[in-house]
């Protein structure tokens, strides 16, 4: 059974349909790229998955069971974390406080705070990150802040990690590190969905690619069938050669 199935998802903003009945199937232990031209509906689809938007119609199945996602809490309960390009951290708080944001322990006394630091440090070490649980988030690089968000996802036992263009602000070295981490999480059984425009990255990282165009699902390619010309054809709706004629 797939860990996630999105069926016939539609989303309108007023009269305009950003998604016109999109399907997406994702398996555990898979790095799944979501591609499509700007405005194709990728971010909207992922925001629906994360409970940031409510779908106008369609169904979501988690582990084969229907699962209504009506808000961020439902997504959290389903084990879904979405990491946006604009990150979702409190810069004045420590790494540990951010990892535990919203959980009971953060409001506890001194003993609980010490326990929080230790637990946060464990998750950070598991990622191989270089910062400490007590560091303030505003002192961290973008790449490190991304790691804090991933640490929070692990702490919350997320099983589906969605990243919207995660390499946009990273150096090539940071990108390489992120990819090593994503692959490790994949090998531990997590499902990773990531939005990308960069063909070379998709080649390097993905086990499967799904393509959206104008709010519609075009199709998916497995790693074995990946080809740049086919991806471009799916994204723009005509063969690559036509673009130069
Ligand atoms: P992508 O991530 O593939 O670039 P988006 O999902 O961001 O595409 O957007 C898909 C379409 O929906 C675009 O035409 C965009 O302008 C529109 N759209 C996205 N969010 C909103 C919104 N909150 N209100 C109105 N239109 C929106
Ligand atoms: Mg866009
Ligand atoms: Mg987008």
């Amino acid at each position: 059974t797939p860990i996630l199935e999105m069926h016939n998802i539609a989303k309108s903003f007023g009269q305009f349909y950003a998604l016109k009945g999109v399907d997406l199937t994702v398996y555990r232990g898979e790095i799944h790229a979501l591609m499509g031209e700007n405005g194709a509906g990728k971010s909207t689809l992922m925001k629906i998955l994360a409970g940031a938007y409510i779908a106008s119609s369609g169904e979501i199945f988690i582990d084969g069971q229907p699962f209504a996602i009506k808000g961020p809490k439902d997504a959290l309960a389903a084990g879904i974390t979405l990491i946006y390009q604009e990150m979702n951290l409190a810069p004045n708080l420590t790494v540990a406080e951010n990892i535990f944001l919203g959980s009971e322990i953060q409001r506890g006394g001194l003993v609980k705070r010490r326990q929080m630091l230790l637990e946060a440090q464990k998750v950070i070490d598991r990622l191989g990150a270089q910062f400490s649980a007590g560091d303030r988030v505003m002192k961290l690089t973008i790449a490190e802040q991304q790691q804090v968000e991933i640490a929070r996802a692990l702490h919350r036992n997320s099983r589906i990690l969605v990243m919207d263009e995660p390499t946009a602000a990273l150096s090539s070295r940071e990108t390489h590190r992120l990819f090593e981490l994503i692959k490790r999480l994949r090998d531990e059984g997590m499902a990773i969905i990531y939005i990308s425009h960069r063909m070379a990255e998709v080649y390097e990282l993905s086990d499967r690619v799904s393509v959206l165009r104008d709010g519609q699902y075009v199709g998916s390619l497995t790693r074995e069938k990946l080809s740049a010309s086919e991806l471009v054809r799916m994204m723009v709706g005509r063969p690559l050669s036509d673009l130069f004629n």
Side-chain angles (χ1 to χ4, degrees):
T1 348
I3 191 167
L4 169 69
E5 291 166 276
M6 300 180 84
H7 275 316
N8 210 13
I9 303 288
K11 175 66 184 173
S12 63
F13 296 106
Q15 304 284 5
F16 172 71
Y17 272 82
L19 298 174
K20 306 163 186 166
V22 170
D23 297 325
L24 184 70
T25 302
V26 178
Y27 295 87
R28 57 178 62 72
E30 168 175 280
I31 300 175
H32 196 125
L34 191 55
M35 296 192 83
E37 291 194 294
N38 198 21
K42 307 177 296 293
S43 294
T44 301
L45 185 66
M46 292 300 104
K47 283 178 184 170
I48 288 169
L49 185 59
Y53 288 163
I54 311 284
S56 304
S57 60
E59 291 170 291
I60 295 174
F61 297 84
I62 304 287
D63 292 323
Q65 302 298 316
F67 200 104
I69 297 182
K70 296 198 171 121
K73 281 189 177 158
D74 295 326
L76 197 62
I80 298 161
T81 291
L82 168 58
I83 301 180
Y84 296 90
Q85 274 175 273
E86 321 79 40
M87 269 171 288
N88 190 17
L89 298 168
N92 291 317
L93 299 184
T94 64
V95 169
E97 286 164 339
N98 272 278
I99 289 174
F100 280 82
L101 212 61
S103 69
E104 200 50 46
I105 193 169
Q106 216 215 340
R107 290 184 284 274
L110 207 58
V111 177
K112 288 221 162 164
R113 293 193 62 79
R114 191 166 301 144
Q115 185 193 336
M116 179 177 85
L117 275 175
L118 286 173
E119 282 187 32
Q121 193 62 50
K122 262 193 234 165
V123 188
I124 295 164
D125 293 344
R126 194 175 143 200
L127 296 186
Q130 300 299 307
F131 50 81
S132 303
D135 290 346
R136 283 194 193 283
V137 158
M138 61 185 169
K139 292 194 172 170
L140 305 182
T141 65
I142 298 284
E144 288 170 333
Q145 293 183 26
Q146 212 171 46
Q147 290 172 328
V148 175
E149 289 226 45
I150 295 172
R152 182 161 63 193
L154 291 180
H155 173 254
R156 290 173 174 176
N157 293 316
S158 291
R159 301 178 309 140
I160 301 172
L161 181 65
V162 185
M163 304 186 84
D164 197 340
E165 298 190 44
T167 64
L170 303 189
S171 70
S172 63
R173 195 162 149 232
E174 290 168 335
T175 297
H176 178 75
R177 271 204 169 169
L178 175 67
F179 285 5
E180 291 309 307
L181 176 57
I182 289 176
K183 286 177 189 167
R184 196 142 52 78
L185 296 174
R186 182 260 320 265
D187 294 344
E188 291 172 9
M190 201 179 244
I192 291 122
I193 306 171
Y194 79 105
I195 295 175
S196 179
H197 289 294
R198 299 177 177 171
M199 204 75 81
E201 290 188 356
V202 170
Y203 261 101
E204 186 184 335
L205 198 60
S206 319
D207 301 306
R208 191 185 301 265
V209 184
S210 289
V211 177
L212 301 187
R213 188 173 73 237
D214 295 332
Q216 283 170 313
Y217 171 73
V218 179
S220 293
L221 293 174
T222 57
R223 159 135 225 108
E224 299 75 49
K225 301 233 168 105
L226 262 189
S227 91
S229 60
E230 181 60 5
L231 277 178
V232 171
R233 191 191 64 74
M234 289 167 82
M235 284 192 281
V236 304
R238 52 189 197 276
L240 187 56
S241 54
D242 282 13
L243 298 178
F244 299 102
N245 288 337

